[in-house]
Amino acid sequence: MSKANRVLLLIRFGYEGHRFHGVPRQPGLPTVAEALKTRLKDATGLPPKALVFSARTDTGVSALSNVATCWYPGPLNVAQIFQRLTAPRDDGLFGLQVTQAPYTVHARGISAGKRYRYTLETGHDEDERSNLLVWELYPKIDHTRLHQAADALMGTHDFSSFRASGCTAASTVKNLWHIGVAGPFPTGPSTERWFIEFEGDAFL
């Protein structure tokens, strides 16, 4: 089929990471890709073609906003698909928005950067786990050393030591242009919450 006859969909959405084993498809395991693919198939009657994502987060990582692209043979009623895709469903996805885009648009090529936020809460017992959206720790955080570590990571560096064994990135040199540390904020008699944000051009 000619690319000019394809209808390319640009989809923005969030997801609850604790319900998934990451974004990419893994046979026999619930993933973000499978959940979105199921929604698209139910909305259109056909499986999506060339479904790709701007960010491929790991197991347990939530997203307020990720972007995916896929295409279907045209013509396609995008307004009707939008209505079906955004219908309430308990599948771990939320905030879906879909628009039609030029066939040259690709989810991995339109990202100008990425932002990750880590929400930490200290003061918990070592075996306590009550909030799936917060990284609960039992030791206290040394805020002076935390800021020193953030300053050392800022800028352009070779991040080879952070690379997983199966990483396929062409280069391990990345640019971190912002690391924000906020906290501590009291959340209980003995607990404190921290927010740490990383912004960069790409991550391993």
Side-chain angles (χ1 to χ4, degrees):
M1 165 177 283
S2 168
K3 289 184 177 180
N5 295 325
R6 296 177 180 179
V7 176
L8 188 134
L9 301 181
L10 176 68
I11 306 161
R12 299 181 185 274
F13 65 103
Y15 48 85
E16 302 168 351
H18 64 275
R19 299 179 62 165
F20 300 110
H21 288 258
V23 171
R25 181 180 178 274
Q26 298 188 55
L29 295 173
T31 64
V32 174
E34 285 300 311
L36 184 57
K37 182 178 178 180
T38 297
R39 277 219 192 194
L40 285 163
K41 188 175 180 180
D42 290 347
T44 64
L46 296 170
K49 297 183 180 294
L51 178 62
V52 293
F53 300 85
S54 287
R56 295 173 289 176
T57 51
D58 295 326
T59 299
V61 178
S62 300
L64 296 177
S65 180
N66 200 342
V67 177
T69 51
C70 64
W71 65 269
Y72 285 92
L76 206 63
N77 189 330
V78 177
Q80 186 180 67
I81 291 173
F82 171 78
Q83 191 173 34
R84 292 175 179 172
L85 275 175
T86 56
R89 181 181 294 197
D90 183 21
D91 60 358
L93 307 181
F94 61 83
L96 273 78
Q97 301 176 19
V98 58
T99 55
Q100 185 173 346
Y103 69 82
T104 54
V105 171
H106 192 282
R108 293 180 191 167
I110 62 174
S111 173
K114 296 174 183 176
R115 177 191 297 168
Y116 290 93
R117 170 183 282 185
Y118 292 83
T119 305
L120 316 178
E121 199 165 81
T122 63
H124 289 271
D125 294 333
E126 187 170 358
D127 58 351
E128 184 179 354
R129 179 71 168 159
S130 59
N131 189 334
L132 294 172
L133 299 180
V134 173
W135 188 9
E136 295 175 345
L137 308 172
Y138 61 90
K140 291 288 186 178
I141 289 178
D142 184 325
H143 66 88
T144 300
R145 295 178 69 184
L146 184 63
H147 282 277
Q148 289 174 344
D151 290 342
L153 286 171
M154 283 279 288
T156 302
H157 304 284
D158 186 337
F159 288 95
S160 296
S161 59
F162 292 87
R163 189 176 196 173
S165 60
C167 177
T168 59
S171 172
T172 56
V173 176
K174 306 296 178 184
N175 180 29
L176 278 177
W177 57 67
H178 173 71
I179 301 177
V181 178
F185 303 102
T187 56
S190 61
T191 57
E192 296 176 338
R193 184 166 293 186
W194 295 76
F195 299 98
I196 307 175
E197 286 194 348
F198 295 83
E199 290 186 67
D201 54 359
F203 293 85
L204 296 173

